[in-house]
Amino acid sequence: MTATTSPCFFRMHNVIQDYAWGSKTSIESLFGVANPEGKPQAEIWMGAHPNGCSQIDVAGKATRLAEFIETDKAAIIGEATDKQFGELPYLFKVLAAEKALSIQVHPSKTQAEAGFAKEQQAGIPLSAGHRNYKDPNHKPELVFALTPYQAMNGFREFADIVTLFRALEIADLHELVIALEENQNEAGLRQFFEAMLSLQGEVKDIAVNGLLTYAEHHKGDELFALILDLADQYPGDIGLFSPLMLNVLTLQPGEAMFLDACTPHAYIKGTGLEIMANSDNVLRAGLTPKHMDIAELVASTRFVPMPADTLLLAPEQSEGGLHYPIPVPDFKFSVYHNQQEAVLNVASAEILLAIDAALTVNHSNGETLTVEKGESVFIPTYAGSYTATSTGRFARAYN
């Protein structure tokens, strides 16, 4: 395939996932995507993931993007990407959360490969509820806020965690808090985190009730107001303690952060763009009715505090775009604003999303395509280069 013999621009038809935590209004409000049945519109998936593969028009026929890529992988996703990954290595999303998602840790690439092989050898079905590893890949993520976007990401400083738990004055947690106060290091936090998640029965109930009683008396504090809100969504869940252990932040529109492997995190509320490596590996740490494998979770978690002032990504500005530094090869992410025929060179397969205005792309072969806000276009590697014009913002996913 070449730019002179094959189309370079493919309008995408994307799957909308209606997970229960999704917003019924945000995607419709931002992008005009109709929602006549009033279902949660949680995520728009743009990519070739088997659980929600986009379709494109090829010679007038609706074709799964994954099938199109297989027709000539080296030309479509690029020789280097084909050699390293063998597939489009990222999934691009619009994510609209009305309710909090579960607290999660994603394993590293090495951990995922070992865990997947072990569960395969044990004969655990991929669909089993207690299965931890659905594939041998890691799942780093970047989120870019379109609305105020509340999330948790990484552990607080040791002393901060101690102070917050000491204030609760919950007798059943006293020894655990003292142990952490005396061991403000990775080992101490590991023991504390594992012990908290392992609370069961009456002790767990007393601890959660103590937390909610304190929160009720301090609901003027945003942190404890959040805990009360989460308690309405996940009553009795041990994950209600997580805002006291993890950094809580609200990204403002246009801000972004990276979520690395082995780092506990959760999306709480808001709409944003997310780009991630292709993986379904999730180790849960609360705010969920689903299976929690505490031993595997702890083994896959890095117990190092993340200073709150390091959580946001500072983009690099060049060639008319904001480019976000990402420490993995699976994906790259850029945002452009108010561009008049910006020249973009293609080194890998790309997906462009028009954020808040129409986007027009042109190729030297005479091909042109315009997509409206909320719509996306797939551009194969063989396109070589193209120009993009928009009075608003558009996002660029590539690798």
Side-chain angles (χ1 to χ4, degrees), residues 275-298:
I275 183 168
M276 50 174 271
N278 277 330
S279 175
D280 292 319
N281 289 327
V282 173
L283 298 166
R284 294 179 177 84
L287 302 183
T288 179
K290 295 181 180 179
H291 173 67
M292 283 173 49
D293 185 333
I294 296 173
E296 193 69 24
L297 167 72
V298 170

Side-chain angles (χ1 to χ4, degrees), residues 67-109:
E67 294 174 4
F68 174 67
I69 290 172
E70 287 296 324
T71 61
D72 192 343
K73 287 200 293 184
I76 295 170
I77 63 173
E79 291 185 9
T81 299
D82 184 25
K83 184 176 181 180
Q84 183 172 4
F85 299 100
E87 63 178 2
L88 186 71
Y90 60 83
L91 177 62
F92 190 26
K93 299 179 181 180
V94 177
L95 187 151
E98 183 65 29
K99 299 178 181 177
L101 284 67
S102 61
I103 304 159
Q104 304 176 5
V105 168
H106 303 310
S108 69
K109 177 71 171 173

Side-chain angles (χ1 to χ4, degrees), residues 232-309:
D232 288 337
Q233 300 176 32
Y234 298 97
D237 195 293
I238 196 62
L240 297 177
F241 283 98
S242 59
L244 306 183
M245 293 185 275
L246 306 180
N247 293 300
V248 178
L249 72 162
T250 299
L251 279 68
Q252 296 306 310
E255 293 183 332
M257 70 176 177
F258 183 73
L259 300 108
D260 207 349
C262 307
T263 302
H265 63 273
Y267 297 148
I268 299 171
K269 188 172 183 178
T271 300
L273 305 181
E274 182 188 52
I275 183 168
M276 50 174 271
N278 277 330
S279 175
D280 292 319
N281 289 327
V282 173
L283 298 166
R284 294 179 177 84
L287 302 183
T288 179
K290 295 181 180 179
H291 173 67
M292 283 173 49
D293 185 333
I294 296 173
E296 193 69 24
L297 167 72
V298 170
S300 301
T301 299
R302 185 168 54 246
F303 293 92
V304 177
M306 292 174 58
D309 59 1

